[in-house]
Amino acid sequence: MKKIFILTTLSIALIACNSSEKNQSVDAIIASKDVKAITAKKTELQAQLTQIDEALATLDVNKEVIALVSAVQLKDTTFNHYLEIQGNINTNENVLIQPEFPGNLVELNVKAGQKVSKGQVLGRTDDGGMSQQLASAENQYALAKTTFERQKNLWSQKIGSEIQYLQAQTQMISAQKGVAQIKAQIAKTVIRAPFSGTIDEVFVEKGEVVAANPKGLMRIVNLGNMYVSTSIPETYIGKLKIGTEVDVYLTSLNKTYKGKVRQIGNFINPNNRSFGIEVSVPNPENLLRPNQVAKLKVIDYVSKNAIVVPTNVIQQDSKKNNFVYTVVDSKGKSGIAKKVIVQTGQSSDNVTEILNGLDANAIIVTEGMNTISDGMKLNF
């Protein structure tokens, strides 16, 4: 009995020593930084793991386990791939109103928030006495016109000389141009809306002496002609055209608008190898504002009748192969797991296009795929 106990103790000690020597051997190999030795050890361990997998497959343990998973049947669909990029909301009708003629602001007809029409009078500056000049010029023109008409009548009767007729005509035309010039100057004292829109801000008060300056008199904005401007990498220059549909997402509004490319730049920026585009955006609710940040999703690839799967169901094995688990031999809500190697395409919106490996109507495992293996019985 004593001998048996001693032999058993020695065996356990030898096994422990042997295990310790193996662990020390692995540690020593790693510490040696010998690439060949480490690679050889890795190959040895992988061979042992393969033997273990084969042994488990022989025992067919999977058939004894039924895993509960979620599964879905695939179908053909249209797959769109997007280029996602950031841009800014703009409008061409967002300007500061400046006075054409400096002087005292004698009229101010609008206030902030007021809607105005194109050509509407917003204000008026003092004309600096040009109204009196106009009255005098009009009197001179009336006299010159009367003189010309009388000279014309006389000339038609062959009375007087041709030079008198031509001088009278010239004086009348000159007086007429003088009147028109003064009227044009007076017209500049009237401040009109350049387009229909809303007065966003007014920076002056009636009675102030005004002149053109960086601040302006007021800001007028039209929110009906909005667009997004951004830059696109030059690799996409052949993938965009006028009219291409674009999803425009406004983070601040949590809304997505459908826009269209309205302009494509003809110049490549040498600093970042990109070109500019403009995307028109509808604004029916007047929620868009200039300088808002927008996220654009530009369709650059379309595949009809594509097979797509959720990106998270695609796994990778030790040989760097992409695979998914499908359900075969399905009967009702049960079946057998099958590992299927797949060739993937592009990904967008958390789904990936499958180019090869899956057929339409295949049933794939969407939840629980990390806990199953090939050949395992499934309930879904």
Side-chain angles (χ1 to χ4, degrees), residues 22 44-45 51 62 79 88 107 132 149 152 155 173 194 212 214 239 329 371 380:
K22 285 183 179 179
E44 178 187 343
L45 294 174
Q51 290 178 348
N62 288 337
F79 174 77
N88 291 321
E107 287 185 23
Q132 290 79 6
E149 288 175 349
K152 182 180 179 182
W155 177 244
I173 294 173
K239 300 178 181 179
D329 299 333
T371 62
F380 58 92

Side-chain angles (χ1 to χ4, degrees), residues 62-63 65-69 71 325-338 363 365 372-380:
N62 288 337
K63 291 184 179 179
V65 179
I66 300 178
L68 181 62
V69 298
Y325 280 111
T326 63
V327 180
V328 296
D329 299 333
S330 60
K331 297 177 181 178
K333 291 294 183 179
S334 64
I336 304 297
K338 180 181 180 181
I363 302 174
V365 178
I372 63 177
S373 57
D374 195 28
M376 184 177 287
K377 291 183 178 180
L378 305 176
N379 282 341
F380 58 92

